[in-house]
mmCIF file of all heavy atoms in Angstrom:
data_model
loop_
_atom_site.group_PDB
_atom_site.id
_atom_site.type_symbol
_atom_site.label_atom_id
_atom_site.label_comp_id
_atom_site.label_asym_id
_atom_site.label_seq_id
_atom_site.Cartn_x
_atom_site.Cartn_y
_atom_site.Cartn_z
ATOM 1 N N GLY A 1 -63.843 97.066 236.533
ATOM 2 C CA GLY A 1 -62.605 97.740 236.738
ATOM 3 C C GLY A 1 -61.863 97.359 238.029
ATOM 4 O O GLY A 1 -60.686 97.186 238.060
ATOM 5 N N ALA A 2 -62.714 97.199 239.089
ATOM 6 C CA ALA A 2 -62.159 96.716 240.383
ATOM 7 C C ALA A 2 -61.506 95.349 240.226
ATOM 8 O O ALA A 2 -60.465 95.047 240.826
ATOM 9 C CB ALA A 2 -63.193 96.711 241.446
ATOM 10 N N ALA A 3 -62.180 94.492 239.494
ATOM 11 C CA ALA A 3 -61.636 93.107 239.317
ATOM 12 C C ALA A 3 -60.291 93.124 238.564
ATOM 13 O O ALA A 3 -59.367 92.477 238.944
ATOM 14 C CB ALA A 3 -62.687 92.297 238.573
ATOM 15 N N PHE A 4 -60.261 93.985 237.462
ATOM 16 C CA PHE A 4 -59.016 94.030 236.737
ATOM 17 C C PHE A 4 -57.926 94.668 237.602
ATOM 18 O O PHE A 4 -56.726 94.199 237.503
ATOM 19 C CB PHE A 4 -59.163 94.943 235.431
ATOM 20 C CG PHE A 4 -59.732 94.122 234.267
ATOM 21 C CD1 PHE A 4 -60.910 94.490 233.711
ATOM 22 C CD2 PHE A 4 -59.032 93.046 233.760
ATOM 23 C CE1 PHE A 4 -61.348 93.796 232.611
ATOM 24 C CE2 PHE A 4 -59.512 92.386 232.656
ATOM 25 C CZ PHE A 4 -60.708 92.714 232.079
ATOM 26 N N ALA A 5 -58.208 95.702 238.388
ATOM 27 C CA ALA A 5 -57.209 96.283 239.316
ATOM 28 C C ALA A 5 -56.665 95.206 240.244
ATOM 29 O O ALA A 5 -55.461 95.185 240.535
ATOM 30 C CB ALA A 5 -57.873 97.436 240.014
ATOM 31 N N THR A 6 -57.537 94.377 240.808
ATOM 32 C CA THR A 6 -57.149 93.330 241.685
ATOM 33 C C THR A 6 -56.230 92.345 241.080
ATOM 34 O O THR A 6 -55.102 92.023 241.649
ATOM 35 C CB THR A 6 -58.420 92.599 242.289
ATOM 36 O OG1 THR A 6 -59.211 93.518 243.014
ATOM 37 C CG2 THR A 6 -58.011 91.446 243.197
ATOM 38 N N ILE A 7 -56.552 91.853 239.928
ATOM 39 C CA ILE A 7 -55.742 90.804 239.305
ATOM 40 C C ILE A 7 -54.396 91.353 238.839
ATOM 41 O O ILE A 7 -53.318 90.694 238.962
ATOM 42 C CB ILE A 7 -56.520 90.196 238.104
ATOM 43 C CG1 ILE A 7 -57.640 89.279 238.625
ATOM 44 C CG2 ILE A 7 -55.574 89.383 237.218
ATOM 45 C CD1 ILE A 7 -57.214 88.222 239.606
ATOM 46 N N ILE A 8 -54.384 92.563 238.319
ATOM 47 C CA ILE A 8 -53.078 93.127 237.850
ATOM 48 C C ILE A 8 -52.181 93.342 239.043
ATOM 49 O O ILE A 8 -50.948 93.040 238.995
ATOM 50 C CB ILE A 8 -53.409 94.471 237.122
ATOM 51 C CG1 ILE A 8 -54.118 94.219 235.772
ATOM 52 C CG2 ILE A 8 -52.033 95.187 236.848
ATOM 53 C CD1 ILE A 8 -54.527 95.478 235.099
ATOM 54 N N GLY A 9 -52.722 93.814 240.180
ATOM 55 C CA GLY A 9 -51.947 93.964 241.383
ATOM 56 C C GLY A 9 -51.309 92.695 241.873
ATOM 57 O O GLY A 9 -50.218 92.597 242.249
ATOM 58 N N GLN A 10 -52.146 91.652 241.812
ATOM 59 C CA GLN A 10 -51.721 90.377 242.272
ATOM 60 C C GLN A 10 -50.590 89.812 241.337
ATOM 61 O O GLN A 10 -49.645 89.166 241.768
ATOM 62 C CB GLN A 10 -52.911 89.352 242.318
ATOM 63 C CG GLN A 10 -53.832 89.633 243.504
ATOM 64 C CD GLN A 10 -55.087 88.813 243.415
ATOM 65 O OE1 GLN A 10 -55.388 88.219 242.411
ATOM 66 N NE2 GLN A 10 -55.809 88.786 244.538
ATOM 67 N N ALA A 11 -50.742 90.011 240.029
ATOM 68 C CA ALA A 11 -49.759 89.565 239.107
ATOM 69 C C ALA A 11 -48.446 90.296 239.340
ATOM 70 O O ALA A 11 -47.343 89.650 239.281
ATOM 71 C CB ALA A 11 -50.231 89.844 237.660
ATOM 72 N N VAL A 12 -48.491 91.647 239.565
ATOM 73 C CA VAL A 12 -47.261 92.355 239.886
ATOM 74 C C VAL A 12 -46.544 91.829 241.099
ATOM 75 O O VAL A 12 -45.300 91.672 241.167
ATOM 76 C CB VAL A 12 -47.591 93.836 240.033
ATOM 77 C CG1 VAL A 12 -46.342 94.590 240.553
ATOM 78 C CG2 VAL A 12 -48.006 94.447 238.687
ATOM 79 N N SER A 13 -47.367 91.533 242.145
ATOM 80 C CA SER A 13 -46.833 91.064 243.445
ATOM 81 C C SER A 13 -46.135 89.646 243.210
ATOM 82 O O SER A 13 -45.045 89.401 243.712
ATOM 83 C CB SER A 13 -47.995 90.888 244.418
ATOM 84 O OG SER A 13 -47.500 90.345 245.641
ATOM 85 N N PHE A 14 -46.762 88.781 242.381
ATOM 86 C CA PHE A 14 -46.222 87.493 242.178
ATOM 87 C C PHE A 14 -44.882 87.579 241.378
ATOM 88 O O PHE A 14 -43.951 86.886 241.717
ATOM 89 C CB PHE A 14 -47.209 86.613 241.381
ATOM 90 C CG PHE A 14 -46.661 85.287 240.909
ATOM 91 C CD1 PHE A 14 -46.100 84.410 241.807
ATOM 92 C CD2 PHE A 14 -46.750 84.946 239.616
ATOM 93 C CE1 PHE A 14 -45.608 83.181 241.347
ATOM 94 C CE2 PHE A 14 -46.262 83.719 239.128
ATOM 95 C CZ PHE A 14 -45.670 82.848 240.007
ATOM 96 N N ILE A 15 -44.820 88.435 240.396
ATOM 97 C CA ILE A 15 -43.618 88.594 239.595
ATOM 98 C C ILE A 15 -42.470 89.094 240.437
ATOM 99 O O ILE A 15 -41.305 88.638 240.359
ATOM 100 C CB ILE A 15 -43.927 89.511 238.372
ATOM 101 C CG1 ILE A 15 -44.867 88.812 237.392
ATOM 102 C CG2 ILE A 15 -42.591 89.888 237.712
ATOM 103 C CD1 ILE A 15 -45.424 89.749 236.292
ATOM 104 N N PHE A 16 -42.753 90.085 241.254
ATOM 105 C CA PHE A 16 -41.701 90.650 242.096
ATOM 106 C C PHE A 16 -41.188 89.583 243.063
ATOM 107 O O PHE A 16 -39.976 89.455 243.318
ATOM 108 C CB PHE A 16 -42.217 91.825 242.901
ATOM 109 C CG PHE A 16 -42.030 93.198 242.214
ATOM 110 C CD1 PHE A 16 -42.924 93.639 241.329
ATOM 111 C CD2 PHE A 16 -40.840 93.912 242.443
ATOM 112 C CE1 PHE A 16 -42.695 94.937 240.689
ATOM 113 C CE2 PHE A 16 -40.595 95.088 241.851
ATOM 114 C CZ PHE A 16 -41.530 95.631 240.926
ATOM 115 N N SER A 17 -42.087 88.857 243.685
ATOM 116 C CA SER A 17 -41.728 87.796 244.677
ATOM 117 C C SER A 17 -40.924 86.698 244.051
ATOM 118 O O SER A 17 -39.903 86.171 244.609
ATOM 119 C CB SER A 17 -42.945 87.227 245.351
ATOM 120 O OG SER A 17 -43.785 86.537 244.469
ATOM 121 N N LEU A 18 -41.307 86.311 242.813
ATOM 122 C CA LEU A 18 -40.565 85.255 242.090
ATOM 123 C C LEU A 18 -39.176 85.709 241.694
ATOM 124 O O LEU A 18 -38.164 84.984 241.810
ATOM 125 C CB LEU A 18 -41.366 84.890 240.840
ATOM 126 C CG LEU A 18 -40.942 83.564 240.173
ATOM 127 C CD1 LEU A 18 -41.135 82.342 241.095
ATOM 128 C CD2 LEU A 18 -41.800 83.366 238.925
ATOM 129 N N PHE A 19 -39.095 86.955 241.286
ATOM 130 C CA PHE A 19 -37.802 87.544 240.905
ATOM 131 C C PHE A 19 -36.844 87.611 242.087
ATOM 132 O O PHE A 19 -35.648 87.296 241.991
ATOM 133 C CB PHE A 19 -37.947 88.936 240.315
ATOM 134 C CG PHE A 19 -36.676 89.644 239.899
ATOM 135 C CD1 PHE A 19 -35.994 89.157 238.767
ATOM 136 C CD2 PHE A 19 -36.172 90.664 240.639
ATOM 137 C CE1 PHE A 19 -34.801 89.752 238.416
ATOM 138 C CE2 PHE A 19 -35.001 91.239 240.254
ATOM 139 C CZ PHE A 19 -34.298 90.792 239.114
ATOM 140 N N TYR A 20 -37.449 88.003 243.291
ATOM 141 C CA TYR A 20 -36.570 88.052 244.508
ATOM 142 C C TYR A 20 -36.056 86.686 244.865
ATOM 143 O O TYR A 20 -34.824 86.512 245.260
ATOM 144 C CB TYR A 20 -37.381 88.680 245.644
ATOM 145 C CG TYR A 20 -36.632 88.587 246.975
ATOM 146 C CD1 TYR A 20 -35.666 89.514 247.299
ATOM 147 C CD2 TYR A 20 -36.888 87.573 247.881
ATOM 148 C CE1 TYR A 20 -34.975 89.448 248.486
ATOM 149 C CE2 TYR A 20 -36.205 87.555 249.118
ATOM 150 C CZ TYR A 20 -35.212 88.472 249.386
ATOM 151 O OH TYR A 20 -34.586 88.401 250.613
ATOM 152 N N LEU A 21 -36.929 85.664 244.768
ATOM 153 C CA LEU A 21 -36.481 84.305 245.137
ATOM 154 C C LEU A 21 -35.398 83.847 244.211
ATOM 155 O O LEU A 21 -34.464 83.122 244.613
ATOM 156 C CB LEU A 21 -37.728 83.385 245.070
ATOM 157 C CG LEU A 21 -37.557 81.978 245.717
ATOM 158 C CD1 LEU A 21 -37.332 82.079 247.197
ATOM 159 C CD2 LEU A 21 -38.764 81.180 245.454
ATOM 160 N N PHE A 22 -35.525 84.243 242.907
ATOM 161 C CA PHE A 22 -34.471 83.830 241.954
ATOM 162 C C PHE A 22 -33.169 84.517 242.301
ATOM 163 O O PHE A 22 -32.077 83.871 242.209
ATOM 164 C CB PHE A 22 -34.951 84.231 240.537
ATOM 165 C CG PHE A 22 -33.906 83.959 239.479
ATOM 166 C CD1 PHE A 22 -33.656 82.710 239.015
ATOM 167 C CD2 PHE A 22 -33.159 85.031 238.942
ATOM 168 C CE1 PHE A 22 -32.698 82.423 238.011
ATOM 169 C CE2 PHE A 22 -32.206 84.812 237.985
ATOM 170 C CZ PHE A 22 -31.924 83.542 237.532
ATOM 171 N N ARG A 23 -33.178 85.831 242.601
ATOM 172 C CA ARG A 23 -31.933 86.494 242.909
ATOM 173 C C ARG A 23 -31.259 85.952 244.186
ATOM 174 O O ARG A 23 -30.033 86.055 244.341
ATOM 175 C CB ARG A 23 -32.280 88.026 243.098
ATOM 176 C CG ARG A 23 -32.625 88.758 241.826
ATOM 177 C CD ARG A 23 -31.448 88.912 240.883
ATOM 178 N NE ARG A 23 -30.368 89.690 241.507
ATOM 179 C CZ ARG A 23 -30.291 91.019 241.533
ATOM 180 N NH1 ARG A 23 -31.165 91.713 240.871
ATOM 181 N NH2 ARG A 23 -29.243 91.569 242.088
ATOM 182 N N ARG A 24 -32.051 85.433 245.094
ATOM 183 C CA ARG A 24 -31.489 84.881 246.381
ATOM 184 C C ARG A 24 -31.584 83.383 246.410
ATOM 185 O O ARG A 24 -31.692 82.772 247.471
ATOM 186 C CB ARG A 24 -32.263 85.488 247.532
ATOM 187 C CG ARG A 24 -32.243 86.974 247.677
ATOM 188 C CD ARG A 24 -30.861 87.476 247.969
ATOM 189 N NE ARG A 24 -30.813 88.919 248.181
ATOM 190 C CZ ARG A 24 -30.969 89.491 249.348
ATOM 191 N NH1 ARG A 24 -31.141 88.778 250.420
ATOM 192 N NH2 ARG A 24 -30.893 90.822 249.434
ATOM 193 N N LYS A 25 -31.434 82.736 245.245
ATOM 194 C CA LYS A 25 -31.613 81.266 245.184
ATOM 195 C C LYS A 25 -30.673 80.472 246.051
ATOM 196 O O LYS A 25 -31.021 79.449 246.605
ATOM 197 C CB LYS A 25 -31.609 80.806 243.717
ATOM 198 C CG LYS A 25 -30.356 81.129 242.954
ATOM 199 C CD LYS A 25 -30.494 80.730 241.481
ATOM 200 C CE LYS A 25 -29.243 81.083 240.680
ATOM 201 N NZ LYS A 25 -29.406 80.760 239.304
ATOM 202 N N GLU A 26 -29.436 80.915 246.130
ATOM 203 C CA GLU A 26 -28.433 80.220 246.961
ATOM 204 C C GLU A 26 -28.858 80.249 248.434
ATOM 205 O O GLU A 26 -28.725 79.327 249.163
ATOM 206 C CB GLU A 26 -27.085 80.836 246.764
ATOM 207 C CG GLU A 26 -26.384 80.604 245.422
ATOM 208 C CD GLU A 26 -26.881 81.618 244.383
ATOM 209 O OE1 GLU A 26 -27.562 82.573 244.823
ATOM 210 O OE2 GLU A 26 -26.553 81.469 243.184
ATOM 211 N N GLU A 27 -29.353 81.435 248.843
ATOM 212 C CA GLU A 27 -29.705 81.602 250.238
ATOM 213 C C GLU A 27 -30.925 80.728 250.638
ATOM 214 O O GLU A 27 -31.008 80.223 251.750
ATOM 215 C CB GLU A 27 -30.053 83.094 250.490
ATOM 216 C CG GLU A 27 -30.460 83.453 251.909
ATOM 217 C CD GLU A 27 -30.801 84.888 252.075
ATOM 218 O OE1 GLU A 27 -30.392 85.688 251.180
ATOM 219 O OE2 GLU A 27 -31.442 85.284 253.040
ATOM 220 N N PHE A 28 -31.886 80.639 249.702
ATOM 221 C CA PHE A 28 -33.079 79.914 250.019
ATOM 222 C C PHE A 28 -33.067 78.436 249.544
ATOM 223 O O PHE A 28 -34.075 77.729 249.767
ATOM 224 C CB PHE A 28 -34.293 80.625 249.378
ATOM 225 C CG PHE A 28 -34.597 81.915 250.060
ATOM 226 C CD1 PHE A 28 -34.262 83.139 249.461
ATOM 227 C CD2 PHE A 28 -35.281 81.966 251.271
ATOM 228 C CE1 PHE A 28 -34.549 84.325 250.077
ATOM 229 C CE2 PHE A 28 -35.527 83.110 251.919
ATOM 230 C CZ PHE A 28 -35.175 84.341 251.359
ATOM 231 N N GLY A 29 -32.011 78.034 248.959
ATOM 232 C CA GLY A 29 -31.871 76.574 248.696
ATOM 233 C C GLY A 29 -32.587 76.100 247.496
ATOM 234 O O GLY A 29 -32.914 74.868 247.455
ATOM 235 N N PHE A 30 -32.914 76.892 246.522
ATOM 236 C CA PHE A 30 -33.627 76.459 245.333
ATOM 237 C C PHE A 30 -32.852 76.956 244.141
ATOM 238 O O PHE A 30 -32.585 78.200 243.978
ATOM 239 C CB PHE A 30 -35.038 76.930 245.235
ATOM 240 C CG PHE A 30 -35.834 76.382 244.055
ATOM 241 C CD1 PHE A 30 -36.040 74.995 244.003
ATOM 242 C CD2 PHE A 30 -36.313 77.234 243.114
ATOM 243 C CE1 PHE A 30 -36.741 74.513 242.930
ATOM 244 C CE2 PHE A 30 -37.040 76.725 242.040
ATOM 245 C CZ PHE A 30 -37.272 75.397 241.932
ATOM 246 N N ASP A 31 -32.407 75.988 243.249
ATOM 247 C CA ASP A 31 -31.459 76.444 242.173
ATOM 248 C C ASP A 31 -32.146 76.928 240.888
ATOM 249 O O ASP A 31 -31.473 77.425 239.996
ATOM 250 C CB ASP A 31 -30.582 75.266 241.828
ATOM 251 C CG ASP A 31 -31.365 73.995 241.423
ATOM 252 O OD1 ASP A 31 -32.538 74.135 241.045
ATOM 253 O OD2 ASP A 31 -30.746 72.881 241.462
ATOM 254 N N PHE A 32 -33.478 76.825 240.779
ATOM 255 C CA PHE A 32 -34.196 77.297 239.610
ATOM 256 C C PHE A 32 -33.725 76.611 238.293
ATOM 257 O O PHE A 32 -33.965 77.116 237.209
ATOM 258 C CB PHE A 32 -34.076 78.808 239.401
ATOM 259 C CG PHE A 32 -35.106 79.608 240.187
ATOM 260 C CD1 PHE A 32 -34.858 79.954 241.563
ATOM 261 C CD2 PHE A 32 -36.286 79.924 239.618
ATOM 262 C CE1 PHE A 32 -35.826 80.628 242.249
ATOM 263 C CE2 PHE A 32 -37.259 80.656 240.376
ATOM 264 C CZ PHE A 32 -36.962 81.028 241.693
ATOM 265 N N GLU A 33 -33.096 75.459 238.411
ATOM 266 C CA GLU A 33 -32.800 74.644 237.221
ATOM 267 C C GLU A 33 -34.104 74.011 236.707
ATOM 268 O O GLU A 33 -35.034 73.748 237.439
ATOM 269 C CB GLU A 33 -31.827 73.543 237.581
ATOM 270 C CG GLU A 33 -30.447 74.020 238.020
ATOM 271 C CD GLU A 33 -29.711 74.724 236.884
ATOM 272 O OE1 GLU A 33 -29.937 74.387 235.742
ATOM 273 O OE2 GLU A 33 -28.894 75.559 237.219
ATOM 274 N N LYS A 34 -34.163 73.824 235.335
ATOM 275 C CA LYS A 34 -35.360 73.272 234.698
ATOM 276 C C LYS A 34 -35.774 72.018 235.328
ATOM 277 O O LYS A 34 -36.935 71.691 235.495
ATOM 278 C CB LYS A 34 -35.126 73.167 233.196
ATOM 279 C CG LYS A 34 -36.338 72.664 232.444
ATOM 280 C CD LYS A 34 -36.022 72.627 230.958
ATOM 281 C CE LYS A 34 -37.246 72.151 230.142
ATOM 282 N NZ LYS A 34 -37.002 72.094 228.742
ATOM 283 N N SER A 35 -34.743 71.138 235.611
ATOM 284 C CA SER A 35 -34.921 69.823 236.142
ATOM 285 C C SER A 35 -35.614 69.833 237.507
ATOM 286 O O SER A 35 -36.229 68.887 237.984
ATOM 287 C CB SER A 35 -33.697 68.986 236.176
ATOM 288 O OG SER A 35 -32.732 69.637 237.015
ATOM 289 N N SER A 36 -35.427 71.002 238.266
ATOM 290 C CA SER A 36 -35.933 71.114 239.640
ATOM 291 C C SER A 36 -37.485 71.412 239.621
ATOM 292 O O SER A 36 -38.138 71.144 240.638
ATOM 293 C CB SER A 36 -35.251 72.225 240.385
ATOM 294 O OG SER A 36 -33.814 71.918 240.563
ATOM 295 N N PHE A 37 -37.972 71.908 238.502
ATOM 296 C CA PHE A 37 -39.373 72.130 238.389
ATOM 297 C C PHE A 37 -40.090 70.907 237.946
ATOM 298 O O PHE A 37 -40.486 70.690 236.801
ATOM 299 C CB PHE A 37 -39.682 73.303 237.429
ATOM 300 C CG PHE A 37 -39.306 74.595 237.915
ATOM 301 C CD1 PHE A 37 -38.077 75.192 237.594
ATOM 302 C CD2 PHE A 37 -40.111 75.359 238.730
ATOM 303 C CE1 PHE A 37 -37.668 76.529 237.972
ATOM 304 C CE2 PHE A 37 -39.758 76.683 239.212
ATOM 305 C CZ PHE A 37 -38.515 77.196 238.800
ATOM 306 N N SER A 38 -40.224 69.975 238.932
ATOM 307 C CA SER A 38 -40.838 68.672 238.640
ATOM 308 C C SER A 38 -41.524 68.174 239.867
ATOM 309 O O SER A 38 -41.234 68.629 240.946
ATOM 310 C CB SER A 38 -39.844 67.723 238.117
ATOM 311 O OG SER A 38 -38.844 67.442 239.074
ATOM 312 N N LEU A 39 -42.446 67.256 239.634
ATOM 313 C CA LEU A 39 -43.156 66.644 240.784
ATOM 314 C C LEU A 39 -42.402 65.433 241.298
ATOM 315 O O LEU A 39 -42.344 64.367 240.671
ATOM 316 C CB LEU A 39 -44.574 66.264 240.396
ATOM 317 C CG LEU A 39 -45.498 67.377 239.966
ATOM 318 C CD1 LEU A 39 -46.789 66.835 239.369
ATOM 319 C CD2 LEU A 39 -45.812 68.274 241.161
ATOM 320 N N LYS A 40 -41.756 65.549 242.434
ATOM 321 C CA LYS A 40 -41.078 64.446 243.075
ATOM 322 C C LYS A 40 -42.100 63.683 243.861
ATOM 323 O O LYS A 40 -42.716 64.161 244.773
ATOM 324 C CB LYS A 40 -39.934 64.940 243.996
ATOM 325 C CG LYS A 40 -38.945 65.836 243.350
ATOM 326 C CD LYS A 40 -38.128 65.089 242.282
ATOM 327 C CE LYS A 40 -36.909 65.946 241.760
ATOM 328 N NZ LYS A 40 -37.346 67.182 241.154
ATOM 329 N N GLY A 41 -42.213 62.375 243.484
ATOM 330 C CA GLY A 41 -43.216 61.506 244.050
ATOM 331 C C GLY A 41 -43.341 61.538 245.609
ATOM 332 O O GLY A 41 -44.382 61.612 246.194
ATOM 333 N N LYS A 42 -42.113 61.502 246.229
ATOM 334 C CA LYS A 42 -42.043 61.478 247.668
ATOM 335 C C LYS A 42 -42.709 62.690 248.316
ATOM 336 O O LYS A 42 -43.511 62.613 249.277
ATOM 337 C CB LYS A 42 -40.614 61.338 248.115
ATOM 338 C CG LYS A 42 -40.376 61.450 249.611
ATOM 339 C CD LYS A 42 -38.910 61.340 249.959
ATOM 340 C CE LYS A 42 -38.650 61.423 251.471
ATOM 341 N NZ LYS A 42 -37.218 61.367 251.791
ATOM 342 N N TYR A 43 -42.382 63.855 247.735
ATOM 343 C CA TYR A 43 -42.855 65.140 248.331
ATOM 344 C C TYR A 43 -44.264 65.491 247.817
ATOM 345 O O TYR A 43 -44.977 66.155 248.535
ATOM 346 C CB TYR A 43 -41.891 66.234 247.933
ATOM 347 C CG TYR A 43 -40.537 65.934 248.632
ATOM 348 C CD1 TYR A 43 -39.396 65.810 247.811
ATOM 349 C CD2 TYR A 43 -40.357 65.851 249.937
ATOM 350 C CE1 TYR A 43 -38.166 65.506 248.392
ATOM 351 C CE2 TYR A 43 -39.162 65.582 250.546
ATOM 352 C CZ TYR A 43 -38.091 65.417 249.733
ATOM 353 O OH TYR A 43 -36.799 65.090 250.313
ATOM 354 N N VAL A 44 -44.662 64.934 246.686
ATOM 355 C CA VAL A 44 -46.132 65.063 246.336
ATOM 356 C C VAL A 44 -46.986 64.345 247.356
ATOM 357 O O VAL A 44 -47.985 64.892 247.743
ATOM 358 C CB VAL A 44 -46.341 64.482 244.923
ATOM 359 C CG1 VAL A 44 -47.810 64.346 244.624
ATOM 360 C CG2 VAL A 44 -45.655 65.312 243.842
ATOM 361 N N LYS A 45 -46.478 63.166 247.732
ATOM 362 C CA LYS A 45 -47.298 62.427 248.770
ATOM 363 C C LYS A 45 -47.331 63.135 250.075
ATOM 364 O O LYS A 45 -48.362 63.230 250.695
ATOM 365 C CB LYS A 45 -46.656 61.016 248.932
ATOM 366 C CG LYS A 45 -46.828 60.087 247.715
ATOM 367 C CD LYS A 45 -46.195 58.734 247.972
ATOM 368 C CE LYS A 45 -46.344 57.847 246.785
ATOM 369 N NZ LYS A 45 -45.695 56.505 246.969
ATOM 370 N N MET A 46 -46.176 63.682 250.439
ATOM 371 C CA MET A 46 -46.106 64.418 251.760
ATOM 372 C C MET A 46 -46.962 65.714 251.698
ATOM 373 O O MET A 46 -47.683 65.987 252.685
ATOM 374 C CB MET A 46 -44.745 64.731 252.158
ATOM 375 C CG MET A 46 -43.818 63.504 252.373
ATOM 376 S SD MET A 46 -42.199 63.811 253.026
ATOM 377 C CE MET A 46 -42.608 64.264 254.747
ATOM 378 N N ILE A 47 -46.843 66.443 250.624
ATOM 379 C CA ILE A 47 -47.634 67.727 250.496
ATOM 380 C C ILE A 47 -49.119 67.385 250.462
ATOM 381 O O ILE A 47 -49.921 68.074 251.051
ATOM 382 C CB ILE A 47 -47.158 68.504 249.265
ATOM 383 C CG1 ILE A 47 -45.762 69.052 249.464
ATOM 384 C CG2 ILE A 47 -48.087 69.608 248.955
ATOM 385 C CD1 ILE A 47 -45.157 69.671 248.195
#
């Protein structure tokens, strides 16, 4: 039960944070376009 409580809480936190980032996408510089969700070789190497 403790394990399920932990994972559900983490899932809720992730969903809320992702929704906030989407609502403020202009402010944070990420457009959430499908094409943007991709691995750019240059930044893969840097990361």
Side-chain angles (χ1 to χ4, degrees):
F4 275 120
T6 296
I7 288 305
I8 292 172
Q10 290 171 345
V12 170
S13 179
F14 173 55
I15 292 169
F16 268 89
S17 62
L18 195 61
F19 180 73
Y20 174 79
L21 194 64
F22 175 76
R23 289 289 301 272
R24 300 294 184 92
K25 56 186 179 182
E26 291 83 8
E27 180 181 345
F28 289 103
F30 185 62
D31 56 20
F32 273 88
E33 295 293 333
K34 184 178 179 180
S35 59
S36 295
F37 288 97
S38 61
L39 295 172
K40 304 295 190 299
K42 175 181 179 180
Y43 298 116
V44 168
K45 291 180 181 178
M46 295 187 74
I47 291 173

